[in-house]
Structures are given as structure tokens and as C-alpha cells.
Amino acid sequence: MTGTAVVSTSTPVRPVSSRRLLSGVFVLLGVVMAVWGARMPAVQDAAHLSSGRLALVLLAAAAGMVLGLQLGGRLAHRYGPARLLAAPAIIFGISLALLGTCRTPTSLSLLAAIFGLGHGLLDVGANSAAVNLEHAYQRRIMQSLHCMYSAGALAGAGLAAITAWAPYQVLFATVGVLTATAAAAAIPLIRAAGHLDTPVHQHAAEQDDAPRLPLRAVWLLGFLAAACLLGEGAAADWSAVHLHTLHASEATSAAAYAAYSAAMVTGRLFGDRLNAHFGPTAVARAGAALAATGLGAGLLIDSPPAALIGWMALGLGLSTTVPSLISAAGRGGPRAVGHVAATGYLGLLTGPAAIGAIASLTSLPVALALPVLLAAVVALSAHRALEPR
């Protein structure tokens, strides 16, 4: 969100400037979530949390995000998504800084819920603004924006890895304060970025003219999106913990999510070309198969190098799948897209907590078989969801 000249709020900036601003928001989302996830083992050790207790903290964050998504959707519809880019980012950053001060499950859960609330509000604002910006560009740019999220996650995970020697409280405070400060400084730019908001009557007209998809097709797209995003949530919250259980160093554990994110960035950089050459169905099926076999092998071999490769395979395999599912939902209009996205978030939000609950009853490698199985389901079902019928 830096490097753009401040302009008068009475004159909207060009679409390209709005895109730079929104790209910065997606980068910010990725950095903060990666820092939080990559240093999770340190948080767990400092608060003496079992896998079950950690799952409760993650569940609190998920509950806060659900509330943020629901509230954010209403606010974005009524006031425009640009209103959800500054204040939620400030909440997001400050809550991360305060999470570094927590030492008990209760305080961690409370701050995690606020952290999730800010995340949900900011996520709705960013994605809704991205849809509006696509209208201004008159071409698809969603995948490139999500690539910026992955790039931010890679940078955040790398930062966590190279600062593994330092107390995680310092990292959380630094990233959190910088996030809040950047969001506050960007308020004039957000107010000037008129392309991020679309009048409500235009949305209504689009919904009235929207084509329809069979309800079963919409539900299938939503289920597959949830299956893919569960794998993304597993990587964010459990990849570092997984390496930690294999007696990897703190730096190597933190690098697990960096490896996943690097693979995700690579896949999204080349995703449009691959889809144009082979078709989205073939790319999605091959990618999901790679994700299932790669992470599955990493769990079975049970060594840090194999685990790192497994998480990279998961990131590369799932990188282009969700954008393809969202594009397919677009045949049913904005309502279908919204339903698929909302259902997909259920996997992202509940998956990490479900993995923690299963791990508390069995073991973490057994629990991580869940994203492996769901990736296999995506590979077997993608053609039914992505091919028009």
C-alpha cells in the first residue's frame, strides 16, 4: 500500500492505482496470517497448550472470522467494500501484537477471536472490492490478486523463519504495529479509490440478469472449495507444528509454510497459461492429485525433508483449483459465487480446529490425512463441477 501518490479525494484514482492499493491489502493479509501460523509452535510452548487446547484457540479465531464474514457482507453491501479496508486492518494488526502478550488459554482465545473478527471483515472488504475492480478492468484479475496474498504469505513465513532466534512476541508486535500504521496511512488512498466500490443498483441489475446453475452444481462447487481451503488452513496452522513434532529446528518448522506458500505463488503465476493450454478441468484434477499424493507421501515417510516436500506439493497442487471453482460458479451469477465462497470458508475456518481435535484423539499425522483424502475427492470430482452441463 506504499509507493502511490496521495491524490485529492474528490477525483478517483485510475484503476491501475486502485489495483496497486488492493494488491497491498492482499499482501498484508498474507503476511499477517503467515506470521501467526509459522510461529504457532512457539505460542503453543509459551502457553503450555496441548493439541486439544490449541484447537480451541484456533476455533475461537474461526468463530471471530465467521462473525466478521457475516457482518462484513452486510456492511459491504450497505456502505461499499472500501469502508472495510482500513479499520479492520488496524484491528487485525493490533490484535496480532497483543496476542504476543498472552500466556493463558483464556486470554489467547479472546484475542484470537478479535484477530479472527478483523481478518473476516478485511477479507470480505478485499474480495468484494476485487470483484468491483474486475468490472472496472473488464477482465479477470482475481487470480493475480490472490497471487499477491500468496506472495505476502511467503514473505511472512520467510520473515518468521529468519527471525526464529528472536522471541515471537517481538515479531508479532513489529508486524502488528506496522500493519496498523500502514492501514491508517492508506486511508486517503482508500477514500480516493472509487473503482473499489460499485453502486448497489448495479449489483441488483446483475443479479436479476444472472444465469442459473442447478442447485446441486452450486453445492458441489462449494463442497470442493471447502475441501481445498481446508488444506490451505491446515498448511497455515499445522505445517509448522507438524515439522516441530518431527524434531525439526524452530527455523525449519517455520519454513514449512514458506515452502507451501512459494509453491502456491508459483502455481498461481502460471495458472492462467496452464488453464488456457490444457483446460481448467485437467489442471484442477492433476493439481489435486499432486496435492494428495505429495502430502500423503510426506506423512508416510515421516521425516522433515519429506514433510517439507509434501507441503510444497499441497501448495502447488491446490494453487489454481479454488479460482477455477469460483470461475465455474460465475456461470450462476454473483449469488452462486457468494454461496461457493462462503461454503469454501467453512473448510478454511473449521478445518484447522477439526485437525486439532482429531490429533488430540489420535496423532497429528493421522489427523493430517484429512486434507489428503479431501484432495483425492477433489481430483475425482473436479470434472463434474467444472464442466458445463
Side-chain angles (χ1 to χ4, degrees):
M1 289 187 287
T2 60
T4 305
V6 178
V7 298
S8 170
T9 57
S10 62
T11 303
V13 294
R14 295 176 295 121
V16 65
S17 299
S18 297
R19 185 175 181 177
R20 290 171 184 165
L21 172 65
L22 197 54
S23 294
V25 174
F26 276 96
V27 168
L28 180 149
L29 272 166
V31 168
V32 174
M33 289 306 298
V35 166
W36 164 245
R39 295 305 302 268
M40 192 67 67
V43 175
Q44 184 179 14
D45 290 344
H48 307 290
L49 300 177
S50 64
S51 293
R53 289 281 183 92
L54 180 58
L56 292 177
V57 172
L58 297 176
L59 185 61
M65 188 174 182
V66 167
L67 177 60
L69 289 169
Q70 293 178 341
L71 180 60
R74 297 176 184 176
L75 293 174
H77 176 77
R78 185 169 183 177
Y79 301 108
R83 296 286 185 92
L84 297 178
L85 297 182
I90 294 173
I91 295 172
F92 198 36
I94 292 176
S95 59
L96 176 68
L98 293 177
L99 277 166
T101 67
C102 298
R103 294 293 183 275
T104 66
T106 301
S107 61
L108 272 172
S109 297
L110 177 61
L111 263 298
I114 298 174
F115 179 76
L117 175 66
H119 184 193
L121 290 170
L122 184 58
D123 194 278
V124 168
N127 281 290
S128 299
V131 171
N132 295 336
L133 193 57
E134 279 190 322
H135 288 294
Y137 266 81
Q138 297 184 340
R139 63 183 176 88
R140 296 187 182 276
I141 60 171
M142 184 71 75
Q143 184 152 315
S144 67
L145 290 172
H146 279 253
C147 182
M148 297 305 295
Y149 172 88
S150 298
L154 175 60
L159 178 63
I162 64 177
T163 60
W165 55 270
Y168 73 91
Q169 297 91 337
V170 175
L171 179 63
F172 282 13
T174 302
V175 173
V177 170
L178 288 176
T179 296
T181 302
I187 290 176
L189 298 176
I190 293 171
R191 289 176 176 173
H195 301 287
L196 301 181
D197 284 330
T198 298
V200 174
H201 66 81
Q202 292 187 22
H203 288 301
E206 290 168 5
Q207 291 175 358
D208 291 339
D209 297 337
R212 301 299 178 190
L213 274 179
L215 184 59
R216 64 180 181 277
V218 176
W219 278 108
L220 178 59
L221 288 167
F223 170 77
L224 296 183
C228 294
L229 288 176
L230 185 145
E232 184 170 334
D237 290 339
W238 289 106
S239 60
V241 178
H242 177 217
L243 269 291
H244 190 62
T245 62
L246 298 177
H247 307 292
S249 66
E250 188 77 15
T252 301
S253 298
Y257 189 60
Y260 168 88
S261 299
M264 181 73 72
V265 170
T266 301
R268 287 179 172 170
L269 281 175
F270 296 98
D272 289 333
R273 298 179 186 177
L274 291 173
N275 284 341
H277 189 73
F278 298 103
T281 300
V283 174
R285 294 184 71 178
L290 172 64
T293 55
L295 182 57
L299 295 174
L300 290 174
I301 296 174
D302 201 33
S303 70
L308 281 172
I309 294 173
W311 288 111
M312 289 180 66
L314 184 74
L316 183 62
L318 297 182
S319 59
T320 61
T321 306
V322 172
S324 295
L325 294 171
I326 296 296
S327 295
R331 298 195 300 267
R335 290 180 181 177
V337 172
H339 177 82
V340 171
T343 306
Y345 275 122
L346 291 177
L348 180 67
L349 296 173
T350 63
I355 289 172
I358 296 172
S360 67
L361 297 175
T362 56
S363 67
L364 185 57
V366 171
L368 289 173
L370 180 59
V372 173
L373 293 174
L374 289 176
V377 170
V378 173
L380 295 173
S381 306
H383 67 287
R384 296 183 180 179
L386 296 177
E387 294 177 2
R389 295 179 181 272

